[in-house]
Amino acid sequence: MGLFTRRSQTTDHQNAGAAATTLDVDPALAALTGDYVIDAAHSSIGFTVRHAMVTNVRGSFAEHEGTLHLDGADPARSTAAIDVKIPSVSTGIADRDAHLLGSDFFDAELFPLMTFRSTEARALGGDAYRITGELTIKDVTRPLAIDLEFTGSAKDVYGNERVGFEGSAQILRSDWGLTWNAALEAGGVMVSDKVKLTFDISAIKQG
Protein backbone atom coordinates (compact mmCIF):
# COMPACT_ATOMS: atom_id res chain seq x y z
CA MET A 1 0.00 0.00 0.00
CA GLY A 2 1.30 3.45 -0.84
CA LEU A 3 1.56 6.44 1.45
CA PHE A 4 -1.95 7.34 0.35
CA THR A 5 -4.65 6.20 -2.06
CA ARG A 6 -7.27 8.13 -4.01
CA ARG A 7 -10.89 7.22 -4.56
CA SER A 8 -13.84 8.85 -6.33
CA GLN A 9 -17.10 9.34 -4.42
CA THR A 10 -20.55 10.65 -5.30
CA THR A 11 -23.07 11.99 -2.77
CA ASP A 12 -26.69 13.15 -2.79
CA HIS A 13 -25.37 16.71 -2.82
CA GLN A 14 -23.68 16.27 -6.21
CA ASN A 15 -25.29 16.64 -9.59
CA ALA A 16 -26.11 13.40 -11.40
CA GLY A 17 -23.05 11.98 -13.12
CA ALA A 18 -20.65 14.29 -11.26
CA ALA A 19 -17.88 12.91 -9.07
CA ALA A 20 -15.43 14.37 -6.60
CA THR A 21 -11.95 13.01 -6.07
CA THR A 22 -10.96 12.90 -2.41
CA LEU A 23 -8.06 11.64 -0.40
CA ASP A 24 -8.69 8.37 1.39
CA VAL A 25 -5.84 8.43 3.88
CA ASP A 26 -4.83 5.28 5.75
CA PRO A 27 -4.41 6.41 9.39
CA ALA A 28 -1.38 4.17 9.85
CA LEU A 29 0.34 5.74 6.86
CA ALA A 30 -0.75 9.27 7.75
CA ALA A 31 0.98 8.67 11.09
CA LEU A 32 4.30 8.42 9.22
CA THR A 33 4.15 12.17 8.54
CA GLY A 34 7.15 13.85 10.11
CA ASP A 35 10.87 14.53 9.90
CA TYR A 36 13.41 11.74 9.43
CA VAL A 37 17.19 11.36 9.46
CA ILE A 38 18.79 8.87 7.09
CA ASP A 39 20.51 6.03 8.95
CA ALA A 40 23.76 5.77 6.98
CA ALA A 41 24.72 2.50 8.71
CA HIS A 42 21.67 0.80 7.18
CA SER A 43 21.45 2.69 3.89
CA SER A 44 23.46 2.64 0.69
CA ILE A 45 24.04 5.04 -2.20
CA GLY A 46 25.73 3.44 -5.16
CA PHE A 47 26.32 3.50 -8.90
CA THR A 48 26.77 1.17 -11.84
CA VAL A 49 28.63 2.04 -15.04
CA ARG A 50 29.58 0.01 -18.13
CA HIS A 51 33.31 -0.70 -18.41
CA ALA A 52 35.14 -1.52 -21.65
CA MET A 53 31.77 -2.03 -23.39
CA VAL A 54 31.37 -5.53 -21.93
CA THR A 55 30.81 -5.49 -18.18
CA ASN A 56 29.58 -3.34 -15.30
CA VAL A 57 31.58 -1.76 -12.50
CA ARG A 58 29.68 -1.13 -9.28
CA GLY A 59 30.61 1.24 -6.53
CA SER A 60 29.19 2.98 -3.49
CA PHE A 61 29.74 5.91 -1.14
CA ALA A 62 30.20 4.77 2.45
CA GLU A 63 29.73 8.20 4.01
CA HIS A 64 26.53 10.15 3.47
CA GLU A 65 23.89 11.93 5.49
CA GLY A 66 20.49 13.34 4.82
CA THR A 67 17.04 14.29 6.00
CA LEU A 68 13.52 13.57 4.79
CA HIS A 69 10.20 15.21 5.49
CA LEU A 70 7.32 12.88 4.72
CA ASP A 71 3.70 13.92 4.40
CA GLY A 72 1.48 10.85 4.33
CA ALA A 73 -1.65 12.83 3.43
CA ASP A 74 -0.05 15.02 0.76
CA PRO A 75 3.14 13.49 -0.71
CA ALA A 76 3.72 16.62 -2.81
CA ARG A 77 4.77 18.32 0.41
CA SER A 78 7.49 15.74 1.09
CA THR A 79 11.13 16.78 0.75
CA ALA A 80 14.62 15.26 0.78
CA ALA A 81 18.17 16.53 1.23
CA ILE A 82 21.25 14.31 0.89
CA ASP A 83 24.99 15.04 1.20
CA VAL A 84 27.45 12.44 -0.07
CA LYS A 85 31.16 12.53 0.82
CA ILE A 86 33.01 11.84 -2.42
CA PRO A 87 36.26 10.63 -0.72
CA SER A 88 34.28 7.67 0.66
CA VAL A 89 33.82 6.15 -2.81
CA SER A 90 34.66 2.46 -3.09
CA THR A 91 34.63 0.10 -6.07
CA GLY A 92 36.71 -2.62 -4.42
CA ILE A 93 39.89 -1.68 -6.32
CA ALA A 94 42.16 0.87 -4.60
CA ASP A 95 43.83 2.12 -7.80
CA ARG A 96 40.47 2.64 -9.49
CA ASP A 97 39.15 4.50 -6.45
CA ALA A 98 42.20 6.77 -6.50
CA HIS A 99 41.59 7.52 -10.19
CA LEU A 100 37.96 8.41 -9.46
CA LEU A 101 39.03 10.80 -6.71
CA GLY A 102 41.59 12.54 -8.93
CA SER A 103 41.19 15.39 -11.41
CA ASP A 104 40.12 13.07 -14.25
CA PHE A 105 36.84 12.46 -12.44
CA PHE A 106 35.58 13.90 -9.12
CA ASP A 107 38.60 16.06 -8.19
CA ALA A 108 37.65 15.31 -4.59
CA GLU A 109 40.16 17.66 -2.96
CA LEU A 110 38.40 20.64 -4.54
CA PHE A 111 34.87 19.19 -4.60
CA PRO A 112 34.45 16.82 -1.65
CA LEU A 113 30.64 16.78 -1.63
CA MET A 114 27.89 15.61 -3.96
CA THR A 115 24.50 17.00 -2.92
CA PHE A 116 20.84 16.51 -3.78
CA ARG A 117 18.04 18.89 -2.83
CA SER A 118 14.48 18.03 -3.79
CA THR A 119 12.17 20.50 -5.50
CA GLU A 120 9.11 18.31 -6.19
CA ALA A 121 7.59 15.02 -5.05
CA ARG A 122 4.89 13.07 -6.88
CA ALA A 123 2.88 9.93 -6.17
CA LEU A 124 2.81 7.62 -9.19
CA GLY A 125 0.39 5.07 -7.77
CA GLY A 126 0.71 2.22 -5.30
CA ASP A 127 4.11 2.33 -3.61
CA ALA A 128 5.78 4.25 -6.46
CA TYR A 129 6.95 7.84 -6.16
CA ARG A 130 9.14 10.25 -8.10
CA ILE A 131 11.22 12.88 -6.39
CA THR A 132 12.75 15.60 -8.55
CA GLY A 133 15.47 17.96 -7.45
CA GLU A 134 18.91 19.38 -8.10
CA LEU A 135 22.04 17.22 -8.09
CA THR A 136 25.34 19.04 -7.63
CA ILE A 137 28.69 17.46 -8.56
CA LYS A 138 31.89 19.52 -8.93
CA ASP A 139 29.87 22.74 -8.52
CA VAL A 140 27.68 21.81 -11.51
CA THR A 141 23.98 21.70 -10.62
CA ARG A 142 21.47 19.99 -12.87
CA PRO A 143 17.99 18.50 -12.42
CA LEU A 144 17.61 14.86 -11.42
CA ALA A 145 14.48 12.70 -11.10
CA ILE A 146 14.66 9.65 -8.83
CA ASP A 147 12.03 6.91 -9.06
CA LEU A 148 11.42 5.41 -5.61
CA GLU A 149 9.50 2.53 -4.09
CA PHE A 150 8.21 2.82 -0.53
CA THR A 151 9.36 -0.48 1.00
CA GLY A 152 7.62 -0.18 4.35
CA SER A 153 7.73 1.09 7.92
CA ALA A 154 8.46 -0.56 11.25
CA LYS A 155 9.55 0.06 14.83
CA ASP A 156 13.02 -1.37 15.47
CA VAL A 157 14.26 -3.10 18.64
CA TYR A 158 15.36 0.27 20.05
CA GLY A 159 11.92 1.80 19.63
CA ASN A 160 12.84 3.87 16.57
CA GLU A 161 10.17 4.41 13.93
CA ARG A 162 11.74 3.62 10.55
CA VAL A 163 10.71 3.97 6.92
CA GLY A 164 12.40 2.49 3.88
CA PHE A 165 12.73 3.50 0.25
CA GLU A 166 14.68 2.08 -2.66
CA GLY A 167 15.11 3.63 -6.07
CA SER A 168 17.29 4.57 -9.00
CA ALA A 169 18.05 7.24 -11.55
CA GLN A 170 20.12 7.37 -14.74
CA ILE A 171 22.42 10.25 -15.60
CA LEU A 172 24.98 11.18 -18.21
CA ARG A 173 28.14 11.86 -16.23
CA SER A 174 29.34 14.32 -18.86
CA ASP A 175 26.46 16.61 -17.86
CA TRP A 176 28.34 17.16 -14.59
CA GLY A 177 31.78 17.57 -16.15
CA LEU A 178 32.93 13.97 -15.64
CA THR A 179 34.21 13.53 -19.16
CA TRP A 180 37.41 11.45 -18.92
CA ASN A 181 37.57 8.47 -21.26
CA ALA A 182 39.87 6.32 -23.36
CA ALA A 183 39.24 4.81 -26.79
CA LEU A 184 39.36 1.05 -27.24
CA GLU A 185 41.25 -0.54 -30.15
CA ALA A 186 38.18 -2.51 -31.20
CA GLY A 187 35.99 0.58 -31.04
CA GLY A 188 34.00 2.17 -28.30
CA VAL A 189 35.27 3.70 -25.08
CA MET A 190 36.57 2.54 -21.72
CA VAL A 191 33.82 4.06 -19.56
CA SER A 192 30.20 4.61 -20.54
CA ASP A 193 28.74 8.09 -20.26
CA LYS A 194 25.57 6.56 -18.79
CA VAL A 195 25.63 5.94 -15.05
CA LYS A 196 22.89 4.33 -12.97
CA LEU A 197 22.54 5.71 -9.46
CA THR A 198 20.94 3.48 -6.80
CA PHE A 199 19.45 4.35 -3.43
CA ASP A 200 18.50 2.02 -0.58
CA ILE A 201 17.38 4.22 2.29
CA SER A 202 16.43 3.54 5.88
CA ALA A 203 15.41 6.65 7.84
CA ILE A 204 14.54 7.20 11.51
CA LYS A 205 11.70 9.45 12.63
CA GLN A 206 12.67 12.38 14.83
CA GLY A 207 10.83 13.82 17.82
Side-chain angles (χ1 to χ4, degrees):
M1 180 180 293
L3 287 175
F4 76 94
T5 56
R6 288 185 182 270
R7 63 190 175 103
S8 294
Q9 296 181 324
T10 57
T11 71
D12 293 337
H13 302 291
Q14 295 172 309
N15 294 329
T21 301
T22 62
L23 287 176
D24 184 16
V25 180
D26 184 324
L29 294 174
L32 298 179
T33 296
D35 296 317
Y36 293 76
V37 171
I38 292 175
D39 178 9
H42 297 95
S43 302
S44 64
I45 296 176
F47 59 89
T48 304
V49 61
R50 181 74 71 178
H51 177 262
M53 309 297 290
V54 297
T55 191
N56 288 321
V57 168
R58 293 175 173 82
S60 63
F61 298 93
E63 298 180 34
H64 50 83
E65 58 188 24
T67 58
L68 309 175
H69 174 76
L70 302 183
D71 191 319
D74 185 2
R77 299 180 64 181
S78 300
T79 60
I82 302 174
D83 294 336
V84 177
K85 296 183 179 180
I86 295 296
S88 71
V89 69
S90 175
T91 63
I93 303 294
D95 287 346
R96 182 164 58 208
D97 295 344
H99 191 195
L100 289 174
L101 294 176
S103 58
D104 283 343
F105 287 97
F106 288 113
D107 205 356
E109 286 193 10
L110 290 177
F111 308 103
L113 280 181
M114 173 171 60
T115 65
F116 177 79
R117 298 291 183 268
S118 69
T119 56
E120 180 184 18
R122 292 176 54 200
L124 303 180
D127 292 322
Y129 298 86
R130 177 171 296 145
I131 188 160
T132 302
E134 295 182 337
L135 176 68
T136 300
I137 305 173
K138 295 178 69 173
D139 278 357
V140 176
T141 300
R142 296 181 62 88
L144 176 70
I146 304 171
D147 287 334
L148 295 168
E149 178 185 358
F150 173 59
T151 55
S153 63
K155 181 176 288 189
D156 66 23
V157 295
Y158 303 105
N160 297 312
E161 294 286 350
R162 290 179 177 267
V163 293
F165 292 89
E166 61 182 17
S168 63
Q170 184 169 282
I171 67 171
L172 297 178
R173 61 187 177 90
S174 59
D175 286 344
W176 281 266
L178 304 175
T179 58
W180 182 89
N181 228 320
L184 301 174
E185 289 186 9
V189 293
M190 181 69 73
V191 184
S192 172
D193 193 22
K194 293 181 181 179
V195 180
K196 182 180 180 181
L197 303 177
T198 56
F199 305 85
D200 197 344
I201 301 298
S202 177
I204 298 173
K205 194 173 187 179
Q206 304 299 290

